[in-house]
Amino acid sequence: MTAGRRMLKPGRVALAAILAIIGVAVVSAAVLRARPPHLPATSSFAHELAVPPLATGRRHGSDVTFYLRLRQGMSDFGRGAMTRTWGINGNYLGPTLRAQRGDRVTIHVTNGLTESTTMHWHGMHLPARMDGGPHQPIAPGWTWSPTWTIRQPAATLWYHPHPDGHTADQVYRGLAGMFIIDDDQAARLALPHRYGVDDIPVIIQDKLFQSDGQLQRSPRGISNVGLLGDTILVNGTPWPYRTVTTRRIRLRLLNASNARVYNLGFSDNRDFALIGTDGGLLRAPVPLTRVQLAPGERAEIVVTMHPGEHLALHSYPPALGAGFLASRLAGGGDSFDVLQLRAADRLAHDRALPHRLVAVPALRPESATRTRAFELGEDEINGHHMDMSHIDQTVTLGATEIWNVTNHDGSPHTFHVHGVQFQILDQNGATPPPALRGWKDTVYIAPETGIRLIMQFTDYADPAWPYMFHCHILRHEDAGMMGQFLVLASGQRPAPAMSAMPPPPSGSEPGMTGMSEPDMPSAGRQPTGLDR
Ligand SMILES: [Cu+2]
């Protein structure tokens, strides 16, 4: 070391100390600034929970037709001013679609907005060209009419737009709805089943508002997951309560938020029974005190009420498995009320829950013919951004496969596969917890962890139209953390058309004449129940 450099040393130490102090200050400021919007821990429960109307549709035997119209609306979220929203057959959210296993459903989706959209049937096992992903755009004024036969067990699914790069904003503005599938097996079980009475949809979303009462559509401050709100809406109702009249209440919980993960339980920590996950009922009810739902996930639970009590469904700090800053940025420290159940003074005594629910055949790893790896990180999967003209994976019809999904980011992610329900073999090599042992289509993947999924690709092959797999944190999905796979019959080759944008789907035409909209809730309730 030269004399000059030695002389510099104390100066360098001082400089290093100053830089360290500045660094700590910057990080501290970032953490403070990064604090997600403040959510009050307890709620006033000022508004009666709206229940989305059931879409009536038209039924001829097992053929069912639904009409959905996407449009702009105004909603009262208690902000002192009406909020401009988007809705389906109403001002905010959409009607609950309901169909039976074996039904042939046709859904006419009319885009009454001024920008292109799509409509995706999340959790549905259906042909890829009916899936409503980014390859089935619906231009403003046009109607898209997918049709398919329901070939899966009773489940709580949902629907939402899935346009390339614009999903987060469209869902956030209000485009989403529940899609309930029924079947004979589930109907025979002694489960609460009266829609809106003892079987209640609970669509949970968080919103941010500007001072003028309009939706704040971009995050405040820095964020690793996108927009987190400071106001919880359930079925479009802020601070909701619901009066119940039976002892047992089934809640169909759907996380339809852009980014927030909920860790749901009751305010007195009572047990509830988990009876179903994304793709259907479990083999048997599982007593739990918490169920965690990342965006896109569903859970069906049954809670037992006592006469006259008020019970809050609460979201406790979720286990995100991320570092302090990443967890804080993603709302990992938040604890807040979601919904209050107010029991009537006299409750109808319904039957006890069955000990067994349905058969869920376990997919066996030995039956898998292929294992694929998916690495999530930096808005990419396996180092690639979503590219609609590039097929990332090709699967053979009938094959059972193991998909090994790992998160190599410091940020929380999820993994959702279209067209199929999967089972979870293990999570970081360990047996998954009970809430992850049923049929799933979306799963949370903590930073630096991995999960092995097993799934079988049945019924639908198509050389031209792909399905998607992606992170369901909507900002990540829009940023490119998504890929495409084709399902091909043995010997089938990908259609060359897929190297370019496919043509608009047949059945899509502008302003289909003579199409009435019998599901427009002119005589029924508006989806939010708060509309004026
Ligand atoms: Cu993600």
Side-chain angles (χ1 to χ4, degrees):
M1 196 179 280
T2 66
R5 284 172 74 184
R6 237 187 326 262
M7 278 170 61
L8 276 175
K9 204 176 173 190
R12 286 164 70 182
V13 170
L15 182 63
I18 290 167
L19 287 176
I21 290 166
I22 292 172
V24 167
V26 166
V27 169
S28 305
V31 171
L32 289 175
R33 188 171 145 77
R35 245 177 61 188
H38 177 69
L39 270 158
T42 55
S43 161
S44 56
F45 301 118
H47 305 279
E48 183 170 10
L49 177 74
V51 172
L54 280 171
T56 48
R58 290 174 177 162
R59 179 177 281 278
H60 299 283
S62 58
D63 287 335
V64 191
T65 305
F66 293 111
Y67 298 83
L68 299 179
R69 182 180 173 83
L70 283 52
R71 66 171 182 83
Q72 297 179 29
M74 299 291 276
S75 301
D76 185 353
F77 294 129
R79 311 302 295 195
M82 297 298 281
T83 303
R84 287 188 297 276
T85 50
W86 288 2
I88 303 162
N89 299 1
N91 290 307
Y92 188 79
L93 297 179
T96 297
L97 302 176
R98 197 154 193 170
Q100 185 82 15
R101 185 174 193 165
D103 280 349
R104 178 90 190 164
V105 298
T106 302
I107 308 181
H108 300 291
V109 185
T110 299
N111 181 359
L113 301 166
T114 54
E115 66 183 71
S116 183
T117 187
T118 82
M119 195 52 76
H120 167 57
W121 320 104
H122 183 126
M124 198 71 76
H125 175 52
L126 78 182
R129 63 190 297 267
M130 308 299 173
D131 187 48
H135 290 281
Q136 287 89 40
I138 314 170
W142 289 56
T143 295
W144 177 57
S145 303
T147 181
W148 70 93
T149 299
I150 307 276
R151 290 180 174 171
Q152 65 196 93
T156 300
L157 312 183
W158 65 302
Y159 61 97
H160 63 80
H162 207 304
D164 189 39
H166 298 279
T167 297
D169 191 53
Q170 294 196 359
V171 173
Y172 186 71
R173 288 175 166 212
L175 302 182
M178 197 170 267
F179 199 141
I180 297 175
I181 296 178
D182 300 304
D183 69 9
D184 293 340
Q185 218 183 350
R188 279 194 294 268
L189 296 169
L191 294 174
H193 65 274
R194 285 172 295 164
Y195 184 82
V197 178
D198 58 8
D199 179 353
I200 301 172
V202 178
I203 303 173
I204 309 172
Q205 300 176 303
D206 58 334
K207 301 290 170 193
L208 266 185
F209 292 93
Q210 302 171 171
S211 55
D212 63 358
Q214 301 309 310
L215 288 173
Q216 161 91 27
R217 288 157 53 203
S218 54
R220 285 194 190 121
I222 55 172
S223 171
N224 54 348
V225 291
L227 194 141
L228 292 175
D230 62 5
T231 302
I232 301 299
L233 302 181
V234 180
N235 303 340
T237 311
W239 308 288
Y241 70 89
R242 184 82 185 172
T243 300
V244 297
T245 55
T246 60
R247 248 166 53 83
R248 288 198 174 72
I249 301 296
R250 176 191 201 164
L251 301 177
R252 296 180 189 257
L253 306 170
L254 158 62
N255 181 349
S257 306
N258 285 36
R260 190 178 282 284
V261 177
Y262 301 92
N263 187 17
L264 299 165
F266 290 96
S267 44
D268 63 355
N269 287 317
R270 78 180 55 182
D271 278 4
F272 54 83
L274 177 74
I275 60 167
T277 54
D278 299 344
L281 295 173
L282 300 176
R283 295 182 181 96
V286 178
L288 293 175
T289 57
R290 299 281 186 273
V291 62
Q292 183 162 308
L293 295 180
E297 290 190 292
R298 289 87 67 206
E300 292 186 36
I301 66 170
V302 176
V303 61
T304 302
M305 303 291 298
H306 306 296
E309 72 171 338
H310 288 187
L311 179 67
L313 179 69
H314 192 88
S315 184
Y316 295 88
L320 298 179
F324 173 77
L325 183 58
S327 177
R328 193 180 173 93
L329 284 167
D334 295 349
S335 182
F336 50 89
D337 282 335
V338 173
L339 166 69
Q340 186 187 53
L341 298 176
R342 295 183 184 173
D345 289 336
R346 295 175 62 92
L347 296 177
H349 267 255
D350 30 21
R351 287 179 293 173
L353 278 187
H355 295 295
R356 300 242 147 261
L357 296 171
V358 298
V360 179
L363 298 179
R364 293 176 304 110
E366 336 46 291
S367 65
T369 51
R370 177 130 188 205
T371 299
R372 294 173 203 262
F374 298 84
E375 297 187 358
L376 311 183
E378 310 207 333
D379 294 333
E380 296 175 335
I381 298 179
N382 293 342
H384 293 287
H385 276 90
M386 167 68 174
D387 175 354
M388 284 181 60
S389 66
H390 180 254
I391 297 299
D392 300 274
Q393 308 283 345
T394 302
V395 171
T396 304
L397 180 66
T400 298
E401 296 200 357
I402 294 172
W403 286 19
N404 196 345
V405 188
T406 48
N407 176 351
H408 289 299
D409 247 0
S411 170
H413 294 300
T414 71
F415 197 71
H416 169 50
V417 187
H418 288 209
V420 68
Q421 290 287 333
F422 54 72
Q423 292 174 1
I424 296 168
L425 290 173
D426 45 60
Q427 204 179 18
N428 268 347
T431 305
L436 297 181
R437 288 186 206 155
W439 290 115
K440 294 283 294 170
D441 56 56
T442 308
V443 64
Y444 180 75
I445 305 180
E448 308 308 330
T449 69
I451 197 160
R452 282 201 312 151
L453 315 175
I454 187 167
M455 62 203 91
Q456 189 178 17
F457 298 89
T458 58
D459 298 315
Y460 307 114
D462 194 315
W465 300 86
Y467 296 101
M468 307 296 126
F469 54 86
H470 60 89
C471 176
H472 215 285
I473 293 174
L474 300 184
R475 191 172 86 161
H476 296 171
E477 164 181 353
D478 282 346
M481 191 175 270
M482 174 153 59
Q484 322 193 77
F485 68 99
L486 286 176
V487 179
L488 297 178
S490 179
Q492 200 172 29
R493 299 179 64 82
M498 273 320 297
S499 62
M501 281 274 288
S506 61
S508 179
E509 51 187 283
M512 286 172 73
T513 50
M515 182 175 302
S516 61
E517 290 156 355
D519 287 337
M520 293 290 283
S522 51
R525 296 180 60 171
Q526 297 282 323
T528 71
L530 290 168
D531 306 325
R532 286 171 187 157

